[in-house]
Amino acid sequence: MKIIKYFIVFIAVFCSAAVNGTALAQFNQTILFVPHDNRPISFEQTANNIRALGYKVITPPANLLGSRDDLGHPEALAQWVMDNAGKADFAVLSSDSLVYGSLVASRKHNIAALVLHQRAEYAFYALHKKYPYLPIYVFSSIMRTPQTNAASSEEPAYYHIYGTMIARYTALADKQEKDGLTHKEKKELVQLKKDIPSSDINDWLSRRAGNFAVNKYLIDLAKDKAITYLALGCDDNAKYSQTDKERRELDKYGQSIKGVNYQSVAGIDEIGMILLTRAVNQIKGDIPFVSVHYAPGKGADTIPAYSNEPIKNSVKTHIRMADGLEITNDKRADMVLLLDTDKNGLTYAANDLNNTTLPRANTVAFADMVGKYLAQHKNTAVADIDFGNGADNALMNIMWQRGYLGKLGAYAGWNTPTNSSGYAISMGMLSSYTNQDNIIKMLVPRYLDDWFYQANIRQATANKMDSFTGQGNYGDTKTRTVQAQQYATVLMRQAVKKYGLDKLPGQKNLDELNVKFPWHRLFEVAVITPVSENNKKPSNNN
C-alpha cells in the first residue's frame, strides 16, 4: 500500500507543480495567514493548531482585522500582506478581509463595485505579480441567506424586520428557476414582492451582485493561475435560496477548473483551517487517506442545518480541499473520520434542554465505534454534528467515562455541522504528523469551547444575565460583560476539575483559565489559559 500511496503522491505533486507553474523548492515551513475576522476560532485557535506542529504562521496585527465593532481595514491589510508575503512559503488569505474588511463587512458594506474590484486586483493579482512563485490559497464567502429575522445578527437593520420574508421570497424565486412553483406558491411569491419594501430587497440584492462579481473575478484569477487554489464557502444556506442559486452559477462559471484549483462547499468558518492544512500537506508532500463512517441511522444522507446538501458531499469536498483522498479501506487510512449524526437526520440546538447526558438512540453505538478505532490505534477524528453550535453532551459524557478524550486524534463540535466536520478533517490530518502531546494542545480548546461552553455554560450564563447589575443581554453584554465573564469562568473551572482536563499532558494549570467575550455577546468565547500564555509559540505577528 505504501508504494501505491507514494506513487499517487508523486503524481499529485508533479501535477500540482505543473498546474501552478511553480518549481518544486525546499520549504522553510512558513505560512502567511489572513483570517476573515478576529474571532478566536477564526484567528488564533486556527493558527495555533498549525504552530503546534512546529510551523511558523505569520498573522497580521489584530487591529487590522474585523471585529464586531470594527469592520476591518482592507487596504492597510492588503499592504501588510504585500510587505510580508516574501517571508512565506504559502499564503492563505481571506478575500472577505482583503476586499470588504471582514466576513461581517461583506454582508453589510456599501462599497462601490469599482472599489471592490480594485481591492481584489491589488490583494491577489498584484500579489501574484510581485511573488510569482508563492502559492496563494484564497477563501471567500458566497453571501449567506439567514432563514429568519432572529438569525440575522450581522445583516443590515431591515433584515431584522423582513429577513424571514426575504429568505422566503428568494427561496421561491430559486425554486421557480430550478423546479417550478405550485399555483399557491406563485401567489405567495407575488404577495411577498408587494410586502417587502423595494428599497430593502434592492439593497440586499445589489450588495449580493457586487459580492458575486468579486467571486467571479476570483475565479478568473484562479483560471489564470494568479490564485493557486480558490475555495468559495456558503454559510447559512438552504436547498432553495439565493445563496444556493449563486453557488450554482459560480460553479458553472468555474466549471473548467472545478476540482482542480477551484471548489465551492457548504460552510465558511472552517475553510481557513482547511486551506492551512492543504499548505501543510503540500509542504509534507503527502496526501492523507481518510476513511469515513457515520452514526447509525440516516448518517451520510443527513442534510444538516445551515446546509443545502447531504453531509457526505460536504465531507468529500472538504477532504479534497485539504488535499486528501477519501478511501473505503480503514487499514490503509491515515485517519478515520467518524461523524456523530442524529438517527433521523435532524440537527438540534446544543443549548436546548434536550441536550442532556442521557444517551439517545445511536449515542452508545457511535461511542462504541469510536472505541473500536481507538483500540486499533487508528488516528481517530470525531465530528460531533448531532447538535448545531455545540457538543453532544451524551456522547462527550460517555467518551469521558471511557477515557477517550486524551486519545482522539481530532474533535470538533462548534458552530454549524459543516464547520465542525471540516475542522475535524483538518485537525485529524494534522494529527498524523505529530505526537499525542501536541494533539492534546489542539483538542483541549475544542473541549473547553465546544463542549463546556457552547453546550452548557453559554445557556447557563444567558439565564443568569438578568441577575447582574447594569445592562446587557445574550446578544450584547454591554455593562454586564465583566460579571458574565466572571460567572462563566467559575463554571468553566468547575468543569475542568470535574472532567479532569487539567490532568492531561501539558494542561496542569488549566484550572486557572479565564473566560472572555471578545465580541461582547455570549455566542463567541475566548478561553485564556496560563498554559497557552506561557507555553505557546510566538504569534509571529508583523
Side-chain angles (χ1 to χ4, degrees), residues 108-130:
K108 57 200 308 183
H109 68 86
N110 291 298
I111 306 167
L114 177 60
V115 175
L116 295 178
H117 182 85
Q118 290 172 338
R119 288 180 179 175
E121 185 175 36
Y122 182 75
F124 306 114
Y125 181 73
L127 181 68
H128 170 68
K129 287 300 181 183
K130 185 174 181 179

Side-chain angles (χ1 to χ4, degrees), residues 37 61 96 101 120 229 303 316 336 351 359 388 417 449 460 504:
D37 54 42
D96 294 307
Y229 193 88
I303 299 178
K316 186 177 291 293
V336 177
N351 60 339
D449 192 331
L504 294 174

Side-chain angles (χ1 to χ4, degrees), residues 495-524:
V496 164
K497 282 294 185 183
K498 177 179 178 180
Y499 293 100
L501 291 194
D502 55 334
K503 301 298 190 296
L504 294 174
Q507 308 298 317
K508 64 180 181 179
N509 295 325
L510 203 59
D511 59 343
E512 299 175 26
L513 59 75
N514 288 286
V515 171
K516 304 292 183 183
F517 298 124
W519 277 36
H520 307 294
R521 63 185 188 186
L522 299 186
F523 191 70
E524 291 87 13

Side-chain angles (χ1 to χ4, degrees), residues 204-465:
W204 195 67
L205 291 175
S206 65
R207 183 175 299 103
R208 299 194 72 103
N211 294 7
F212 184 83
V214 167
N215 284 330
K216 283 186 69 176
Y217 177 64
L218 296 179
I219 293 174
D220 287 336
L221 293 182
K223 288 179 179 178
D224 294 338
K225 302 180 179 61
I227 288 176
T228 312
Y229 193 88
L230 173 63
L232 297 186
C234 304
D235 202 7
D236 283 25
N237 199 3
K239 180 180 179 180
Y240 298 117
S241 67
Q242 186 67 21
T243 301
D244 191 57
K245 172 182 169 66
E246 291 169 11
R247 180 186 179 184
R248 293 196 314 276
E249 292 176 358
L250 289 166
D251 279 351
K252 183 178 180 181
Y253 187 74
Q255 186 61 42
S256 63
I257 58 170
K258 187 179 179 185
V260 180
N261 61 331
Y262 161 71
Q263 190 66 56
S264 67
V265 71
I268 181 63
D269 285 348
E270 75 281 7
I271 299 183
M273 177 73 160
I274 290 277
L275 293 188
L276 284 168
T277 303
R278 183 182 181 90
V280 170
N281 287 331
Q282 286 282 312
I283 291 172
K284 289 286 189 181
D286 194 17
I287 297 177
F289 287 180
V290 184
S291 64
V292 183
H293 300 277
Y294 298 84
K298 195 159 187 179
D301 294 319
T302 296
I303 299 178
Y306 313 104
S307 179
N308 70 320
E309 64 185 12
I311 189 63
K312 64 183 178 185
N313 294 2
S314 302
V315 165
K316 186 177 291 293
T317 302
H318 277 135
I319 291 172
R320 189 163 57 242
M321 276 185 171
D323 214 16
L325 181 66
E326 184 175 348
I327 65 173
T328 57
N329 190 318
D330 293 334
K331 291 182 179 180
R332 296 177 178 179
D334 297 297
M335 63 173 280
V336 177
L337 175 68
L338 308 179
L339 294 101
D340 175 33
T341 48
D342 175 70
K343 182 179 181 180
N344 299 312
L346 303 175
T347 303
Y348 303 97
N351 60 339
D352 282 354
L353 294 177
N354 64 342
N355 188 8
T356 69
T357 58
L358 183 67
R360 291 178 309 286
N362 60 357
T363 312
V364 175
F366 182 79
D368 289 344
M369 190 189 305
V370 175
K372 168 189 169 183
Y373 289 106
L374 289 177
Q376 295 174 10
H377 303 289
K378 298 296 295 185
N379 176 17
T380 306
V382 172
D384 189 355
I385 63 171
D386 197 329
F387 291 85
N389 300 318
D392 177 348
N393 278 320
L395 173 64
M396 297 307 293
N397 192 60
I398 293 173
M399 291 203 298
W400 164 66
Q401 290 176 337
R402 296 183 181 182
Y404 295 167
L405 299 184
K407 299 177 182 178
L408 294 177
Y411 171 84
W414 63 286
N415 221 339
T416 71
T418 49
N419 293 158
S420 295
S421 57
Y423 211 88
I425 287 165
S426 291
M427 190 186 296
M429 289 183 181
L430 298 175
S431 293
S432 66
Y433 300 135
T434 191
N435 58 41
Q436 196 62 30
D437 285 359
N438 284 332
I439 293 171
I440 286 172
K441 291 179 183 178
M442 294 189 283
L443 287 171
V444 167
R446 302 274 52 81
Y447 296 152
L448 296 174
D449 192 331
D450 309 356
W451 180 21
F452 291 171
Y453 182 75
Q454 297 296 348
N456 297 283
I457 298 171
R458 175 162 59 106
Q459 191 57 44
T461 306
N463 294 340
K464 191 75 171 178
M465 286 296 289

